[in-house]
Amino acid sequence: MYMIMCVLNDADKLDALLDAWHDIGINGVTIAESTGFFRRQVQRSRLHLTFLVEPIPSGMEQDNLTLFIAVDNDDLVQQCLTKTEEVIGDLSGRNTGVFTAWPLAIAKGIRKLGDDEGASQ
């Protein structure tokens, strides 16, 4: 089992990304609002300045979204990465996002798609 963490810089692409992941069987994504160090520094600078010499880079006005999901195998990790880049573009580009995955030593309480055993009605 693997944990995927995806930081999405453009919140407007969230629904398209979730739909793309759903198409390959990924559900139950946890979504958290997040801010990186650079973005926070820009926000703090704006609080102390009455004007800016240089404009704030596009997309720096809003925070990121960080998505977490546990998947069964490396194949799903690769499929998820492919779908992610189809939606948001090449992650090696600036201001697109971050995608990471790592193996889990323990994963308990995670339901697989279609696993309704014990679910309340």
Side-chain angles (χ1 to χ4, degrees):
M1 183 153 281
Y2 292 83
M3 176 62 69
I4 293 173
M5 179 189 77
C6 179
V7 179
L8 181 62
N9 283 19
D10 185 352
D12 292 335
K13 295 184 179 177
L14 176 62
D15 289 334
L17 181 58
L18 293 175
D19 289 343
W21 285 7
H22 183 268
D23 290 346
I24 58 171
I26 294 177
N27 299 292
V29 178
T30 298
I31 303 165
E33 293 181 10
S34 58
T35 299
F37 178 77
F38 177 75
R39 194 174 298 239
R40 179 64 185 147
Q41 291 299 90
V42 169
Q43 291 169 344
R44 286 179 53 197
S45 296
R46 288 188 78 179
L47 296 174
H48 300 293
L49 299 175
T50 56
F51 66 92
L52 294 171
V53 176
E54 295 181 25
I56 293 176
S58 176
M60 290 290 122
E61 298 85 12
Q62 64 183 5
D63 291 333
N64 302 317
L65 295 173
T66 301
L67 290 69
F68 297 95
I69 181 71
V71 299
D72 288 333
N73 55 56
D74 183 57
D75 184 52
L76 274 174
V77 172
Q78 295 303 319
Q79 289 180 53
C80 187
L81 175 57
T82 298
K83 289 294 186 179
T84 299
E85 289 193 311
E86 285 175 8
V87 171
I88 66 175
D90 184 356
L91 288 166
S92 61
R94 296 176 58 83
N95 299 318
T96 54
V98 174
F99 184 98
T100 61
W102 60 92
L104 296 173
I106 297 173
K108 191 171 181 180
I110 298 172
R111 294 184 192 266
K112 295 181 181 180
L113 185 61
D115 183 10
D116 294 330
E117 186 177 320
S120 60
Q121 304 241 352

